[in-house]
Structure formats: C-alpha cells, structure tokens
C-alpha cells in the first residue's frame, strides 16, 4: 500500500499529516521520539522536500511535533490531542446516528453495525 493516493482530492501534504497524526495517536510514534528528517522522508517517499516541510509545519502547529533547532523534529506528548480527537469523533458519530435514526435506521441495525466494527458481530 502506498502512502500517497494520487486519486485522493486532498493535497499530498494533508495526506502526510494524516499519516503521521494516525501513527502518533495510535502510539506507534511515542513522545520524544525523533521524526525522520525532511530530506530523508522526501527521498524515501520521492516527494518534494517542500511538501514534507509543509506537512511537518502543520503537525507542529497542531501540537503533534516540536522542533529542536539543529537537532530535528520530535514527537510531542499526545494525551490531550488524543482526548480532543476522541471527543470530536464521538460528536461526529452521534450526529451520524441521529441522521440515521431520521432516515429510519433502527437501533438494532445501528447496534449490529457497531458489533461488526468492534469485532463482536457474527459477520
């Protein structure tokens, strides 16, 4: 699977931001771990270094990474960010459930979908 989906309408830098956000929030990249350099990442992924730098700047502005002059970028503590993302996601799910209810999706159908997603369903 390729990191970048060129059919995705989002800019490449946003896809890179999403990729690293996910790794950080899932705990794959831990606080104070060093990020790969812009140059190294650009070479490995064959992406313009300016695009990588833009993604890293967005990650820094959002609080996912921090820069140490002369040393590189490092993963920031993400506990608060994870809680914010969870709260945001729960709000989205509640909105979708309300919309589904308005369209006639039953509670049983919603529960079955939850069981399938969380792996406790028969599907």
């Amino acid at each position: 699977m390729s990191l970048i989906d060129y059919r995705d309408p989002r800019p490449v830098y946003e896809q890179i931001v999403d990729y690293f956000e996910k790794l950080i929030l899932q705990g794959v990249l831990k606080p104070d771990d060093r990020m790969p350099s812009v140059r190294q990442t650009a070479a490995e992924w064959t992406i313009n270094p300016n695009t990588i730098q833009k993604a890293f700047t967005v990650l820094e502005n959002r609080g996912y990474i921090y820069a140490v002059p002369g040393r590189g970028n490092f993963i920031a503590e993400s506990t608060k960010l994870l809680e914010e993302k969870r709260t945001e996601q729960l709000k989205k799910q509640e909105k979708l459930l309300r919309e589904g209810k308005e369209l006639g999706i039953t509670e049983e159908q919603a529960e079955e979908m939850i069981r399938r997603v969380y792996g406790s369903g028969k599907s």
Side-chain angles (χ1 to χ4, degrees):
M1 180 175 107
S2 177
L3 168 69
I4 303 304
D5 179 359
Y6 291 100
R7 291 174 295 179
D8 189 325
R10 296 174 303 145
V12 170
Y13 82 92
E14 285 182 12
Q15 294 180 51
I16 296 167
V17 168
D18 287 348
Y19 173 79
F20 279 110
E21 278 184 1
K22 193 172 288 184
L23 291 178
I24 293 166
L25 293 173
Q26 291 174 344
V28 174
L29 297 174
K30 308 227 180 294
D32 299 320
D33 280 356
R34 189 173 191 281
M35 290 282 288
S37 73
V38 169
R39 193 172 299 155
Q40 174 188 355
T41 305
E44 285 178 17
W45 294 348
T46 59
I47 296 173
N48 186 308
N50 293 330
T51 302
I52 302 295
Q53 183 57 55
K54 184 172 185 176
F56 282 16
T57 299
V58 170
L59 287 166
E60 185 175 4
N61 290 339
R62 291 183 183 174
Y64 286 93
I65 65 175
Y66 62 94
V68 176
R71 302 228 24 238
N73 295 299
F74 295 83
I75 307 301
E77 174 56 50
S78 60
T79 306
K80 182 180 175 199
L81 294 169
L82 180 57
E83 276 308 309
E84 289 172 0
K85 281 285 194 184
R86 286 179 178 163
T87 300
E88 178 184 318
Q89 186 63 36
L90 286 169
K91 287 178 183 177
K92 288 179 186 177
Q93 289 176 5
E94 182 176 9
K95 181 179 186 254
L96 287 173
L97 286 170
R98 289 184 190 284
E99 290 173 0
K101 182 179 178 184
E102 291 171 2
L103 293 171
I105 294 174
T106 66
E107 186 174 338
E108 291 77 22
Q109 289 172 314
E111 288 173 350
E112 175 58 30
M113 184 181 303
I114 290 169
R115 282 191 291 277
R116 279 196 317 264
V117 169
Y118 282 89
S120 61
K122 298 174 186 169
S123 303

